[in-house]
Amino acid sequence: MDLRLGEKYEAFRSEVRAFLREHWPLRGADAQLAPERQEKLFRERALARGYVYRGFPRLYGGSEQAPDALEDMILDQEFRTAGAPRDIRGIGPAMLAPTLLDCGSEEQRIRFIPPTLRGDLRWCQGYSEPGAGSDLAALSSRAVLDGDSWRIDGHKIWTSEAQSADYMFGLFRTEPDAPKHAGISYLLIDMRSKGIEVRPLRQMTGGADFNEVFFSDVRIPADSIVGRRGEGWKVSRSTLKHERNLIGDPRYLRNSFDSLVELARRSQRNGRPALEDSSVRQRLAEIEGYVCSQEYSGQRQFSAALRGQELATLLPILMNKLYSTDAMQRITRLAFDLLGGDGLVAPVAEEYGMASQLRTSGGWVAQYMFAIANSIAGGASNIQRNIIGERGLGLPRDPRAK
Ligand SMILES: Cc1cc2nc3c(=O)[nH]c(=O)nc-3n(C[C@H](O)[C@H](O)[C@H](O)COP(=O)(O)OP(=O)(O)OC[C@H]3O[C@@H](n4cnc5c(N)ncnc54)[C@H](O)[C@@H]3O)c2cc1C
């Protein structure tokens, strides 16, 4: 099998490498700036070269490149090797911005996408409710159109980052008499609006970046709706697709795997580096198999999307989410074994989900706990299996709740 990419792509790789050699890490006075400022500056330069936010038009703050799966793969590899920041990931840039591209009005795209991509506008996702998780269409928080504003009352739960978000994109019942999946609208809500109360929920990591959000008589402008009234379910499908892509992002898995190998190098087994232990090596090899299959599946899915095969991409997205979260559990389980007693006494890192935290024992402990939660977020594994079974394998449908 010949896995060479050909002259055109090797030239692209050299060009990317030269750019990174020149621009990352920053030099001179730029290197004295705060880390966040440095990342921002670098991203601006990478954007001008067409290396970040490639799928977004220039009008909305992207670099508007023709889709190219191989160029994208090369950028991933080279930026990762250089430790350089690429697109900001997270709820806003990875989920809301592409949804607005798919379904938003021109005014909404121009107003919201550029500051979201720059990281200046932070978002939270208001889908789940106490009685509506896997069965999301059972949601009951209401929005009533009253003159030129929506009046909102209700209760959301598990809202990640609500405590620091500027805006929420959420689902609300606007036609209470319509059938379950109809009558839901997708609204953009300023989190500083009067009548919103955010209450933190403590997690097993000790952190509290999860919240309950209560709405009582909250007023937002009538044009805060994305898509048509009563068609929020359709819009939410777009966001969910991007959410599962975010959670199933193979880059995240690869970074975590690299950190795991580093941990095995630093840890000791019988007086020698654990990386030399045959049982550890075997487990690492097995896990890397999963990581590679995620990477290849991601590339396959991307090429299918480029050919406009929307249907063919749905199942791989579900599978990506399911298998990535499973692989992440395998990674963190091995990390925990390598930490041994250290893992039991290490203070849990406050932030998790960040590859940079995976250098400390506490970072790994937090990640171990987060890996369990991540199998639930964005649709629990059982639900992913159900949909894959029904739509992918043609198995009989699961009896649905009425
Ligand atoms: C880390 C994390 C972050 C989150 N962030 C957000 C957020 O920002 N915004 C937001 O809106 N929500 C968020 N959520 C909520 C998440 O979307 C829900 O937890 C998820 O959809 C599952 O819903 P539930 O918790 O109500 O569980 P339930 O739906 O009550 O499910 C409980 C269990 O029953 C199983 N089950 C349910 N129905 C079936 C079925 N038909 N067949 C087989 N098994 C079934 C599930 O798989 C699960 O194991 C987050 C969750 C986590 C863990």
Side-chain angles (χ1 to χ4, degrees), residues 354-370:
M354 313 286 293
S356 60
Q357 295 289 329
L358 296 181
R359 289 194 202 100
T360 64
S361 304
W364 276 112
V365 178
Q367 192 67 19
Y368 175 77
M369 295 175 179
F370 181 63

